[in-house]
Amino acid sequence: MKVVVFGASGRTGRLVVEQALEKGHAVTAFVRQSFPAALEHPKLRIVVGDVLDERSVEAAIAGQDAVVSTLGPAPRADDSICSRSIVRIIAAMKSQGVGRLIVVTNASDIEGGFLFEKIVRPLFLQQVFDDKERQEMEIFKSGLDWTIVRPSILRDGPRTGGYRLSVGGAPQGGWRVSRADLADFIVRELPRKDYIHQALVIAY
């Protein structure tokens, strides 16, 4: 497949790019500023651009089979980047006749414990969760073949394949997952299309 990954320079996005290349897909990595020079591949195309720029986004999506967004807020960046960017992405997909979309958002009902629920989320992450909720609303009404992936708390760690998936709410006791396993699911789902028009929580 030909796949464009928005947010490809992030910790999850980079893993999606790497694993997609491993599977033989042709990948366009759309990044804000730069991409690690260490990752070179004949099927990798790097595009540096602004995800809020209509022309840049449409040019990256042209000719693709699928779109993946792992975008998230950067330090000191716009708190509405996810919801604003998905509007541009959806419009470009419709213009270019690309139907398949996989987007990473947030699990809102994970069992993160007292510290997360009472301190971390309300003080540091509430704007991120609100932005992701607006992002999902745009996806729901897009008419595209979308899949939303809502990871529980993300951690760096190995690809195990031992994650669980649950439609809607989080799997019982599931509160964390590695970025490598999140990328594993995204890449596996690209050609299978097992979860069209579904929002899934992924966790161990």
Side-chain angles (χ1 to χ4, degrees):
M1 297 180 68
K2 295 179 180 178
V3 182
V4 58
V5 180
F6 290 92
S9 60
R11 285 184 288 178
T12 299
R14 288 177 60 180
L15 293 170
V16 172
V17 170
E18 292 172 4
Q19 293 185 28
L21 291 171
E22 288 176 12
K23 293 290 186 180
H25 300 305
V27 180
T28 296
F30 192 100
V31 297
R32 292 187 183 99
Q33 295 180 343
S34 61
F35 202 76
L39 183 57
E40 295 181 357
H41 195 282
K43 289 190 174 183
L44 175 63
R45 178 172 71 114
I46 299 171
V47 174
V48 179
D50 182 352
V51 75
L52 299 179
D53 180 72
E54 182 178 347
R55 291 184 179 180
S56 297
V57 172
E58 188 158 340
I61 289 175
Q64 304 291 335
D65 299 313
V67 175
V68 175
S69 175
T70 63
L71 286 165
R76 299 178 297 280
D78 185 353
D79 289 330
S80 63
I81 188 65
C82 295
S83 56
R84 293 175 66 200
S85 64
I86 200 64
V87 172
R88 296 285 188 274
I89 291 170
I90 289 170
M93 290 179 68
K94 290 181 176 180
S95 174
Q96 294 297 321
V98 180
R100 185 67 173 117
L101 173 65
I102 300 179
V103 180
V104 176
T105 63
N106 289 112
S108 60
D109 61 345
I110 57 174
E111 300 173 11
F114 178 85
L115 181 64
F116 179 82
E117 292 296 334
K118 301 300 182 182
I119 299 176
V120 175
R121 175 169 172 164
L123 293 182
F124 303 104
L125 296 177
Q126 193 58 52
Q127 289 180 321
V128 174
F129 276 82
D130 291 345
D131 185 34
K132 290 288 189 177
E133 183 175 347
R134 293 191 298 270
Q135 181 187 32
E136 289 194 355
M137 293 305 297
E138 295 293 338
I139 297 167
F140 293 153
K141 65 184 183 182
S142 68
L144 300 171
D145 289 339
W146 55 265
T147 300
I148 291 173
V149 191
R150 299 167 172 165
S152 50
I153 297 174
L154 283 169
R155 294 285 187 262
D156 292 323
R159 176 173 25 168
T160 69
Y163 48 83
R164 294 179 291 160
L165 302 170
S166 178
V167 176
Q172 185 174 6
W175 62 274
R176 64 183 177 87
V177 71
S178 74
R179 291 178 175 85
D181 273 332
L182 171 58
D184 180 81
F185 170 72
I186 292 170
V187 174
R188 287 175 181 269
E189 175 62 11
L190 278 169
R192 295 190 307 192
K193 300 184 179 182
D194 290 339
Y195 296 99
I196 297 293
H197 297 163
Q198 295 193 51
L200 307 162
V201 178
I202 180 171
Y204 293 134

